[in-house]
Amino acid sequence: MASTNPARGTRDFLPADVRKREYVIGIIKEVYESYGFEPLETPAFENLETLTGKYGEEGGQLMFKILKRGEKLAEVTKLRSYEVNEETSKLADLALRYDLTVPLARVVANNKNELPKFFKRYQIQPVWRADRPAKGRYREFYQCDVDCIGSTSIVVEAELISAVSKILLRLGFDDFVVRVNHRNTLFGLLRKYGIPDEKVLDTIVILDKIDKIHRTGVEKELSGQGISTDVSRRLLDALEHLVKSDSSSLTGKEKLAATNVLKLLEKFESGFERTWGNKSMTVIAPPREHDADLEKVAKAAVRNQAFFLNLYKELDGDPAGFEGAKELASIVGTLYADTEASVRVLVDPTLARGLSYYTGTIMEINVPDLAGSLGGGGRYDGLIGMFGKEQIPACGISLGLERILVVMDERGMFPPEIADSTPADVMITIWSEETAPESLLLAAELRSQGLRVTVYPEADKLGKQIKYADSIRVPFVCVLGESELADGTVTLKNMRTGEQQTCDRNKVREIISVG
Amino acid sequence: MASTNPARGTRDFLPADVRKREYVIGIIKEVYESYGFEPLETPAFENLETLTGKYGEEGGQLMFKILKRGEKLAEVTKLRSYEVNEETSKLADLALRYDLTVPLARVVANNKNELPKFFKRYQIQPVWRADRPAKGRYREFYQCDVDCIGSTSIVVEAELISAVSKILLRLGFDDFVVRVNHRNTLFGLLRKYGIPDEKVLDTIVILDKIDKIHRTGVEKELSGQGISTDVSRRLLDALEHLVKSDSSSLTGKEKLAATNVLKLLEKFESGFERTWGNKSMTVIAPPREHDADLEKVAKAAVRNQAFFLNLYKELDGDPAGFEGAKELASIVGTLYADTEASVRVLVDPTLARGLSYYTGTIMEINVPDLAGSLGGGGRYDGLIGMFGKEQIPACGISLGLERILVVMDERGMFPPEIADSTPADVMITIWSEETAPESLLLAAELRSQGLRVTVYPEADKLGKQIKYADSIRVPFVCVLGESELADGTVTLKNMRTGEQQTCDRNKVREIISVG
């Protein structure tokens, strides 16, 4: 007999799971909609050539490919002369989507004339990767993508970070950090410290693992790529020095200097003066509700001021890297309009992101109790051009639904109505086959009053019907027995307290609402 | 350059499409939930063996199969000795789900101890079939399934028909009919009119096409199966006679006889007397709001009374067929509790349904302006037993989302807020790069007041920003220029009337709500 398990690395979602997923998806949609992003959906599979060559070698190997059908398959298998490594291109013509970004790029290229100049879309759908399943790693998982197509402005990055921060706050996360970096500053630093051009992409893939394999692991893997220990040490020292930037590295003059960050803060009207730790400084910022937030904004501003001064020094003489650094400063500065997001943004010069299609800003969201990320993304100004004649700039962030759910489950973050959901507000019993229509009629009445009503489907013993009601945890049972039918009443049983009362059927709605 | 079209037979859903789909799905969910059905989700693909042999030969050929990966694929292709018709079992290990019923059966067998005794679930997900694409026929399409597992009671059928009728009425359909039949009455009639046992399933598949190929087509195909013209004519005559059952075939005594239908109607307290056409009769029925409905209920009751008397006569001496007929009568009788559904139910002795796993009631929903059906289903008491040790009865209906959308589009049935949706309630302009944070701050303020707000992402010429707002059809634009920033106001432009006014930023929400 065949196994009844779902396929390896996939999961069935029973009702309690679906309700949790829909709760999170509902909040994500609501926030994206409030920012003016619109929904898009694309097919589960794409033509194989649409996905080929977009994710790097590793990504390509993880694609689920769909076997050709009928005559086309027969043609291929008749040949019998193909090489093993040619199999997939001959045997398959479709593949399940690996992410939501490449399908978006295809859609944009395909619908250029119908889509607005700036296309702000969100997309919440499953993707599939033939990865080795592990704790929290599945072969089918949902991504919640939000992207803005058509603009190179850093306002895009600021709004994306603001939107995903709002989502995480609405879900109850308050300890997340949005790390940002820029591919050009990273390239600039790698060049400056002696990584040869042809090793830059490999180095980025290795750097991306620094959270998992730590500095020693990165040095080892770089050495495996033929990069000398001297080069990799100097590079990692420089990155660490940048990470540790704080106000102590600033002169008094520098502290007050009009960096990009402070320039932007100065635009706001009211200011405040504040002391923290053993340092004090003046920061101009918009009025906010919570002093704690003000303090965090100020701290972040000074840290960023120090960081950018150090970064600018590092990239002096590298125009592309310097421009990247200025973009990062603009994003951070613009984000001061959203206090809640701005105190959670951290410029991290070590952030690399593995995917090859990023061209500018890169972003990643982390919480302390999760090894991986809750989401990530970046700017990919070259991807859409791979599908059309025209280069169209684009930037987006993808939230990982499964990771969010794992952390919310572990931390018990679901509201009670989701965590303890019931299939109905009330169950109606059936007295006999002949009175079944009466039970259905009462159910219809109560539904028309807004209640969720389930009817026990059989004329079973009353005890069995009550036991079933208990097993599905409905809070009330409406008994419609012989005497109740005779005098137009119902007996309503509160399953939590055990109390029961006989009442007019018109009173049921009211009693359930109070109970 | 690769094509930018979606794969053959699949579609991209742009925002306006998604909003329509979500509107319909939202109503379907709400109604299913109000009946106590709970959501289930299963993976897009299943192990190949889970799906194999469940849909008949034709179904099996339409499955999308997923190529094995890595070493497992290499092993197979190294063999090079397999036969062409063995390809798929050797080359593929997974397949995209073909419907939502077989995955449900697997889930029930796999989670027997966690699921309640009666598992009432709905599931709204895409399925995939490698069918030849045609108008309204896609390779990826959504099914909206509702099923009750664990009971053989006809209350299940009555509730399912009531729920899907409620959905269609909520969506604005008022001319649908739910046709019902029973596999055992159909088998009984086929046996009685001389179809040999081994041709019964083929005959059902042919009968299923009667709406498309008409009586002459059915006779021709039956003849192709070796069934004599004499046999097929007598069978089709008998079915037609049943279809045409009406009160004229009843004696006065029969009209008043206590058929199952009238027995059930008599249980209700109030009655009414009514005349229509040139006939008059007394019907006992529950009190209803609309006289028109009462008349329809009475008409349907008499038609059904005549129909069942004829059907019982036909099946006299065929215990299984007779039991099937009695079940149909009970379903129809029980449904009189739901006037709106009961007037739309039609027992159709020719209804066949193609799938092999049905064992009892079969159902199909039609509207006059659609060649295919809006949905269908039936009882499948044997399917779950194919996955476990235990036979568990089950019955369900599947609504076809794509068909519903096609008809709603053609008839213009979407409410204006869905048909003319906009990406945001208001767009905010950006005056200069330096004032971008001010625009984002205003956006955050308005969002906190419940508005959907989009920000133009660049410090462009004002005219271009307004033109873009027009292109995405936002009803209002908030201009935040130099003077507005200086005195804490905004200029609010109503894009429909062209009017604009400068006002305090606190007034924006109010003006937009009124406008």
Side-chain angles (χ1 to χ4, degrees), chain A residues 4 12-13 34-35 41 44 65 67 106 110 117-118 120 140 151 153 447 453-454 456-458 468, chain B residues 4 12-13 34-35 41 44 65 67 106 110 117-118 120 140 151 153 447 453-454 456-458 468:
Chain A
T4 57
D12 295 319
F13 298 114
S34 79
Y35 278 76
E41 287 181 16
K65 300 184 183 92
L67 200 61
R106 179 188 57 70
N110 201 41
K117 185 170 119 189
F118 306 114
K120 294 173 69 173
E140 173 179 76
S151 174
S153 163
R447 280 178 200 129
V453 185
T454 195
Y456 191 89
E458 300 177 353
Y468 170 74
Chain B
T4 58
D12 295 319
F13 298 114
S34 79
Y35 278 76
E41 286 181 17
K65 300 184 183 91
L67 199 62
R106 179 188 57 70
N110 201 40
K117 185 171 120 189
F118 306 115
K120 294 174 69 175
E140 173 180 75
S151 175
S153 164
R447 280 178 200 130
V453 185
T454 196
Y456 192 90
E458 299 176 353
Y468 170 74

Side-chain angles (χ1 to χ4, degrees), chain A residues 67-84:
Chain A
L67 200 61
K68 287 181 180 171
R69 296 150 302 283
E71 282 177 22
K72 282 183 186 167
L73 180 61
E75 267 171 38
V76 179
T77 50
K78 256 182 253 159
L79 291 179
R80 295 197 187 281
S81 63
Y82 47 83
E83 295 295 313
V84 171

Side-chain angles (χ1 to χ4, degrees), chain A residues 249-323:
Chain A
S249 69
L250 298 180
T251 64
K253 205 176 161 193
E254 279 170 340
K255 280 185 191 171
L256 294 172
T259 63
N260 273 357
V261 175
L262 287 181
K263 256 190 204 155
L264 281 155
L265 290 176
E266 278 164 14
K267 297 287 167 188
F268 296 103
E269 284 175 9
S270 65
F272 68 99
E273 191 158 358
R274 189 152 285 281
T275 309
W276 68 91
N278 54 355
K279 299 181 188 70
S280 90
M281 73 167 299
T282 302
V283 175
I284 312 292
R288 305 292 175 185
E289 308 84 51
H290 304 299
D291 253 12
D293 276 347
L294 282 176
E295 187 163 327
K296 284 186 200 164
V297 171
K299 271 190 184 175
V302 174
R303 187 266 176 198
N304 282 327
Q305 185 177 10
F307 171 81
F308 282 114
L309 286 176
N310 288 336
L311 186 61
Y312 290 165
K313 276 181 215 159
E314 285 279 7
L315 293 166
D316 194 27
D318 182 331
F322 196 79
E323 278 306 309

Side-chain angles (χ1 to χ4, degrees), chain B residues 259-290:
Chain B
T259 63
N260 274 357
V261 175
L262 286 180
K263 256 189 204 155
L264 281 156
L265 290 176
E266 276 163 15
K267 298 287 167 187
F268 295 103
E269 283 174 11
S270 64
F272 68 99
E273 193 159 355
R274 187 151 287 281
T275 308
W276 68 90
N278 55 355
K279 300 180 189 72
S280 88
M281 73 167 299
T282 303
V283 174
I284 310 295
R288 305 290 175 187
E289 309 84 52
H290 303 299

